[in-house]
Amino acid sequence: RSKDEGGGQHYTYEPALHAHAEERRRLEFSLRRALERNEFSLNFQPVVDAESEAIVSFEALLRWNSEEHGFVSPAKFIPLSEDTRLIVPIGEWVLREACKEAARWPGHVRVAVNVSGEQLLEPNFAASVVGALSMSRLQASRLELEVTESIFVRDAAQARAALEQVMALGCGVALDDFGTGYSSLGYLRKLRFSNIKVDRSFVQGAATGNPESLAIIRAVVAMADSLEMSTTAEGVEDERELATVRSLGCKKVQGYYFGRPMPAPDARRLFDERQRRKEANAA
Ligand code: C2E
Ligand code: MG
Ligand code: MG
Ligand code: MG
C-alpha cells in the first residue's frame, strides 16, 4: 500500500504482518479439523544406551500432514496448538497412540511422550494418562513423559502437583531441552525426575571444544548422577559428538547418528533387526 492512499509510514509493514496473521488463521482453521480428518501420525526415534548402544526407548514425535498445507513442521503447529488449547485433545491422542504402539514392543523398551504445559495444567491430565495406560495395557513404568522447564513458569505448584500424580502412577518424567529454558534448580530438589535431556546445542558445542558447553554438560551429568537421575544427550549426529557425550558420562544417546524419527513399522523393524543380530552374535 502506498503513502498516497493516505496512510502513514507504518503502512509499509502492514502487508507482511497481515500475510503472517492470515497464514496463522488458515493454519488454525485446518488444525481444528486435523484430528477428525486423521491427519496426525507419530514418528518414533530410538534412544540408545551410551555404552551398549542397545535401544532402551523411542521418543514419540507428532507429525501433521494437512490436506491444505502438506507437512507442517512441529515448530509451527505445536505453538499454535498450545495458543488455541487444541494441544489438549491432540496431546491426549498422542498419549493413546504412543502407548498403544509401545504395548507391541518388547517389555524393556519404553516410550517417551512430549507434554506441553497447557496439557499438564488441565485438571484431567492424570486421568488421561491413566486412560491411555489402561486402554493399551501398557505398564506405567514403560511410559516417560517429557516436559520442559517452561512448565514451571506459569503455575509451578500446579505443574508440580500434576507431575507428582503421574509419578505416583509409576511413570517416568524427563526434563527436556535442559539448559535452554528459564533454569531454576529449585524444582530439581522437589521432584524426582527420571531423566535429564541435555539439549543438542550443548552437545554440538562440546564436540567442537566449546569450554562453556563442556563445563555445563559435566555439571549436569554430575548433578544428575548424585540425584540418581539418568541423562540423555539429544541430537547426536556423528561419531565425534557420540565420543564426546560418552566421555562426559551421558547415560543415553538420541540423534540422527542412531536413527531419525521414523514411522512405527520402521521402528519395530529396526528393533527386530538388532535383536536378530544380537541373537546371531550370541549363538
Ligand atoms: P523435542 O522433544 O526436543 O524433540 C527432539 C527434536 O529434535 C525432534 O524434532 C527431532 O526430530 C529432532 N532431532 C532428533 N535428533 C536430531 C539430530 O540428531 N539432529 C537434529 N538437528 N535434530 C534432531 P521435531 O520432531 O521437529 O519436534 C520438535 C519439537 O516439537 C519437539 O522437540 C517437541 O518439543 C515438540 N513436539 C513434537 N511432538 C510433540 C507432541 O506430541 N506433543 C508436544 N507437546 N510437543 C511435541
Ligand atoms: Mg522431547
Ligand atoms: Mg528435546
Ligand atoms: Mg532439543
Side-chain angles (χ1 to χ4, degrees):
R1 197 176 298 180
S2 61
K3 278 189 185 171
D4 51 36
E5 273 176 68
Q9 215 184 350
H10 63 279
Y11 275 103
T12 338
Y13 298 105
E14 201 198 45
L17 273 177
H18 183 75
H20 183 77
E22 177 60 23
E23 196 211 345
R24 236 184 101 95
R25 206 189 56 81
R26 290 181 41 220
L27 269 184
E28 184 182 331
F29 184 84
S30 303
L31 195 59
R32 290 197 183 278
R33 284 148 193 82
L35 265 181
E36 60 195 48
R37 285 173 165 183
N38 266 313
E39 293 179 343
F40 290 118
S41 61
L42 291 183
N43 270 357
F44 294 88
Q45 185 179 33
V47 179
V48 306
D49 180 278
E51 287 303 315
S52 68
E53 298 186 13
I55 294 175
V56 290
S57 64
F58 285 94
E59 178 173 3
L61 293 158
L62 184 58
R63 296 293 176 261
W64 178 28
N65 188 4
S66 155
E67 186 176 324
E68 291 91 4
H69 309 275
F71 275 100
V72 184
S73 158
K76 237 182 197 171
F77 77 81
I78 298 280
L80 182 60
S81 60
E82 289 171 348
D83 292 349
T84 53
R85 302 191 54 80
L86 286 165
I87 194 64
V88 175
I90 294 172
E92 282 179 14
W93 181 87
V94 172
L95 265 172
R96 286 196 302 271
E97 284 297 304
C99 290
K100 202 161 74 182
E101 180 57 29
R104 308 175 58 155
W105 303 339
H108 65 278
V109 182
R110 307 168 82 198
V111 67
V113 174
N114 293 286
V115 174
S116 294
E118 298 300 323
Q119 197 186 344
L120 185 71
L121 295 177
E122 267 292 292
N124 285 338
F125 178 70
S128 72
V129 172
V130 171
L133 290 172
S134 63
M135 256 192 273
S136 60
R137 299 167 167 273
L138 187 76
Q139 247 179 1
S141 61
R142 292 181 60 197
L143 174 63
E144 184 168 68
L145 303 168
E146 296 192 0
V147 298
T148 61
E149 296 152 295
S150 65
I151 60 160
F152 296 108
V153 175
R154 213 179 72 197
D155 189 342
Q158 177 60 30
R160 192 181 140 196
L163 291 179
E164 277 169 349
Q165 280 184 301
V166 293
M167 284 170 172
L169 294 172
C171 300
V173 176
L175 258 182
D176 205 352
D177 304 336
F178 190 73
T180 62
Y182 318 79
S183 296
S184 144
L185 299 181
Y187 50 75
L188 283 171
R189 194 181 50 198
K190 295 173 182 159
L191 278 167
R192 294 199 56 84
F193 293 97
S194 46
N195 190 17
I196 295 183
K197 299 188 78 172
V198 178
D199 192 69
R200 155 152 184 80
S201 52
F202 299 107
V203 172
Q204 246 177 328
T208 53
N210 175 261
E212 288 79 19
S213 298
L214 281 162
I216 288 170
I217 300 185
R218 244 183 232 118
V220 171
V221 170
M223 180 186 70
D225 282 354
S226 60
L227 292 172
E228 290 175 53
M229 299 171 186
S230 184
T231 37
T232 301
E234 289 194 283
V236 170
E237 292 187 353
D238 54 40
E239 224 142 323
R240 182 156 71 151
E241 289 176 353
L242 174 62
T244 305
V245 298
R246 229 184 219 153
S247 72
L248 290 168
C250 291
K251 303 292 174 294
K252 295 183 280 187
V253 182
Q254 179 179 4
Y256 296 165
Y257 182 72
F258 286 107
R260 298 213 165 222
M262 60 190 96
D266 294 354
R268 260 177 255 149
R269 212 169 304 136
L270 179 71
F271 184 80
D272 289 344
E273 269 165 29
R274 281 175 166 248
Q275 188 60 31
R276 265 199 303 280
R277 221 178 307 143
K278 217 164 77 186
E279 283 164 5
N281 287 345

